[in-house]
């Protein structure tokens, strides 16, 4: 072995350490190569769509903040409760739908290439001599065959898409009934007692907004389907159209018609149904949304993996909801400030979720094709992009939120608490970005079991921290506990790939 070969071998052995995957081709993080363009083409529209709804909620918050701090706090509790209920219902469905649709679309794409090459529907091998006798041999016959094939496959048959729509619609109706019928006890759990001035506006807003739950869950299920197709532009267009409608109707209903928080809720419900109609119309042009029979629906597969992610999302939801509940127990001033900080925290953090969506869609296809080289390169690139994005967001929020806080409220006490929360909102952005991107990477590898059980452990530790630090540190204590929570989430994601375990075991045997 020559000196050069020996050096290359040693380098390859060194690069087999799984944790070094995070540094693979780090110099290419900003390079506009094919992988970079593919990631950005999915991530940018996805991030814009994901942040559109929180931005609309921020607009709601800004308009309602002009009414008064009590109404602002009341709507803050209601939004937190509605969003967390929606997240419990839809997050598992969206996540598994994206992975399943990406896998099915990738494999059906491979099949169609073989159909074009061999003129038959056998996916694995070329036709044998006996099969060839039944295939069209003349050019005219081939053209006729391909024309029929194109007509038949103009709309794709993706079983996971039909399953997602059916489940999403059912869950939406269930959520609406639950939130409307149990609004008062749920708000009481959130810290809004029967003698609180927040109760009436909070209950009013929650019941009205819950009427839009079927549209919210159905539209999010369809977004999961489009993400699986690596099409994040269609959900973006639909979301922007809906949220622009919401923003236009807010001042009309709140101030012109003097409907207050009721008007804000009605505007939001109208916007959600508009989004749902646009997405369904677009999806029906691409996919056979009605399956040939109920046997084609993949309920078993959805329920098995969906249950794992349901455990995970309940753990996540309980942490965030508990934080909001603890803030509400400190009074309307604390809750109003917490609502503003939380909405900003979540809205900008969701920019990283765009990278997570891109990573999940690309990785699901790569794992379906057993293309581990692309899987490694994709995971490295999106994680590196996530870290850079988090650092940029930290700088922007740290410098800009001090001046922008007055957009949400004029109350001096609320502003004082918001300024206390700004350092936590800003400095946790790198952690948030990595945590969200790690989620997408592990979902892309269909590593749902690890994602669920690790999150339960993280939640247990975080809940203990929230209870202890909230009682001793008040508003600041809640944000310290949330910082610990996001740190643990990021570490749990790092641990799986960094140790080369589970679906990432191939990292131990392949040079990077």
């Amino acid at each position: 072995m020559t000196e050069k070969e020996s050096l290359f071998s040693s380098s390859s052995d060194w690069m087999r350490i799984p944790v070094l995957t995070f540094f693979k081709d780090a110099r290419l993080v900003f390079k506009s190569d094919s992988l970079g363009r593919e990631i950005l083409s999915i991530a940018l529209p996805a991030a814009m769509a994901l942040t559109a709804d929180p931005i609309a909620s921020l607009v709601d918050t800004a308009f309602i903040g002009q009414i008064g701090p009590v109404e602002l706090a009341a709507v803050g509790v209601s939004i937190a409760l509605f969003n967390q209920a929606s997240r419990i219902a839809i997050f598992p469905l969206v996540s598994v739908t994206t992975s399943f649709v990406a896998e099915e679309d990738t494999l059906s794409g491979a099949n169609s290439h073989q159909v074009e090459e061999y003129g038959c529907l056998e996916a694995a091998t070329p036709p044998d001599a006996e099969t060839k006798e039944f295939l069209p041999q003349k050019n005219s016959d081939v053209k006729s065959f391909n024309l029929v094939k194109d007509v038949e496959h103009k709309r794709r048959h993706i079983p996971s898409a039909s399953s997602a729509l059916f489940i999403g619609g059912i869950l939406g109706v269930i959520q609406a009934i639950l939130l409307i019928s149990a609004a008062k006890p749920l708000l009481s759990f959130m810290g809004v007692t029967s003698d609180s001035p927040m109760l009436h506006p909070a209950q009013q807003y929650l019941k009205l907004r819950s009427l839009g739950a079927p549209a919210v869950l159905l539209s999010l299920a369809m977004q999961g389907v489009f993400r699986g197709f690596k099409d994040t532009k269609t959900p973006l267009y639909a979301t922007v159209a809906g949220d622009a409608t919401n923003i236009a109707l807010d001042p009309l209903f709140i101030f012109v018609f003097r409907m207050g928080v009721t008007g804000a809720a009605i505007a939001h419900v109208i916007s959600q149904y508009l989004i749902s109609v646009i997405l369904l119309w677009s999806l029906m042009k691409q996919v056979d949304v009605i399956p040939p029979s109920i046997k084609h629906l993949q309920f078993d597969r959805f329920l098995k993996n969906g249950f794992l992610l349901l455990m995970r999302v309940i753990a996540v939801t309980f942490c965030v909801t508990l934080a909001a509940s603890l803030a509400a127990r400190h009074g309307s001033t604390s809750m109003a400030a917490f609502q503003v900080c939380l909405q900003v925290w979540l809205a900008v953090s969701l920019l990283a979720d765009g990278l997570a969506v891109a990573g999940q869609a690309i990785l699901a296809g790569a794992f379906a094709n057993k293309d581990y080289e692309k899987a490694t390169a994709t995971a490295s690139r999106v994680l590196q992009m996530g870290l850079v994005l988090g650092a940029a967001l930290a700088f922007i929020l740290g410098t800009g939120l001090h001046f922008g806080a007055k957009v949400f409220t004029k109350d001096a006490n609320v502003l004082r608490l918001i300024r206390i929360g700004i350092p936590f909102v800003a400095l946790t952005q790198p952690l948030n970005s990595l945590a969200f991107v790690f989620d997408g990477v592990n979902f892309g590898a269909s590593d749902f079991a690890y994602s669920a059980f690790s999150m339960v452990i993280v939640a247990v530790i975080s809940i203990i921290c929230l209870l202890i630090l909230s009682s001793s540190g008040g508003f600041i204590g809640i944000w310290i506990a949330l910082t610990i929570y996001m740190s643990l989430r990021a570490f749990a994601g790092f641990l799986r790939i960094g140790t080369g375990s589970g679906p990432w075991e191939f990292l131990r045997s392949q040079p990077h």
Side-chain angles (χ1 to χ4, degrees), residues 3 7 14 18 107 126 129 188 193-194 207 244 254 288 313 323 348 352 363 371 385 408 433 456 458 471 478 481 501:
E3 182 179 351
L7 181 63
W14 180 73
L107 294 175
S188 177
T193 58
S194 57
K207 286 185 175 181
I254 294 173
D288 288 318
V313 78
V348 296
L363 282 166
D371 187 351
M385 287 179 169
F408 303 102
S433 296
V456 170
V458 167
S471 61
I478 293 173
S501 54

Side-chain angles (χ1 to χ4, degrees), residues 432-455:
N432 294 2
S433 296
L434 283 177
F436 287 136
V437 176
F438 270 124
D439 288 345
V441 167
N442 285 323
F443 293 162
S446 295
D447 198 7
F448 299 121
Y450 174 79
S451 296
F453 292 119
S454 64
M455 190 63 235

Side-chain angles (χ1 to χ4, degrees), residues 312-352:
R312 185 183 190 283
V313 78
I314 288 175
V316 171
T317 298
F318 195 84
C319 287
V320 177
T321 306
L322 178 62
S325 175
L326 292 171
R329 292 174 195 278
H330 287 286
S332 60
T333 299
S334 176
M335 183 59 214
F338 182 81
Q339 162 67 4
V340 172
C341 290
L342 184 68
Q343 288 298 323
V344 173
W345 194 57
L346 294 176
V348 296
S349 297
L350 285 174
L351 288 169

